[in-house]
Amino acid sequence: MRYLIGPELLWMLAFGAAKLIANANVPPTKGMDDFIEKCYFYVPLLVIFCFAMWWLPSVEKKYLLPRVWVASLMGGHFVLEKILAAYSNQGPGISMGYLVGLIFLGFWLTVGTIIVLIKF
C-alpha cells in the first residue's frame, strides 16, 4: 500500500481529468475554452500536492524527491499538452500557455524542493 500513493498516481489522475475535459469540449463553449485557457496556471499547482506527500505518513519517503521531479515534469507535459490541445482556436497564444505552464511547473518544483530539503 505504501507504493500506491505517490506523485505518479496524482499525475495519472490529472491526465484522466484532462482527457475528460478535452472530450467535454467537443462542441466548443466559451466557458470551457476560458477554463482551458487558464489551465497553464492551474496544472502546475498540482506540484504543491506532490510536495504535500511528505506530510502523509503512509507514503514511502525514500527516493520521493526524484520521483516527484520526474513524475511532475512528465505528467505536467502530458497534462498540459492534452488539455491545451482541446482549445478551439489554436494559435501562438495557447502554445505560449504550454511554455508558461512548464515554466511555472519548474518554479514550483524548485520552491518545493528547497522547502522540503530545509524542513526534512
Side-chain angles (χ1 to χ4, degrees):
M1 180 64 186
R2 295 181 74 143
Y3 295 106
L4 290 178
I5 300 173
E8 299 87 4
L9 178 66
L10 176 71
W11 284 105
M12 280 181 22
L13 292 173
F15 184 74
K19 242 180 137 170
L20 289 174
I21 291 171
N23 290 339
N25 199 32
V26 172
T29 61
K30 179 156 176 41
M32 190 63 81
D33 271 349
D34 289 342
F35 175 75
I36 289 172
E37 193 174 15
K38 290 176 181 56
C39 278
Y40 73 91
F41 182 74
Y42 299 134
V43 171
L45 293 180
L46 291 173
V47 173
I48 295 171
F49 293 116
C50 287
F51 282 109
M53 290 182 191
W54 264 271
W55 283 271
L56 295 175
S58 64
V59 175
E60 179 67 37
K61 307 294 188 289
K62 188 176 181 182
Y63 301 116
L64 185 59
L65 190 59
R67 284 175 57 204
V68 165
W69 270 83
V70 170
S72 295
L73 288 174
M74 288 180 62
H77 159 70
F78 285 119
V79 169
L80 281 171
E81 187 246 340
K82 184 67 169 177
I83 201 163
L84 293 178
Y87 190 69
S88 62
N89 296 327
Q90 293 292 321
I94 203 67
S95 299
M96 194 61 186
Y98 172 79
L99 293 174
V100 171
L102 287 182
I103 290 170
F104 283 167
L105 189 81
F107 172 76
W108 286 115
L109 280 170
T110 305
V111 169
T113 301
I114 291 170
I115 290 171
V116 163
L117 291 177
I118 290 173
K119 185 85 172 160
F120 295 97

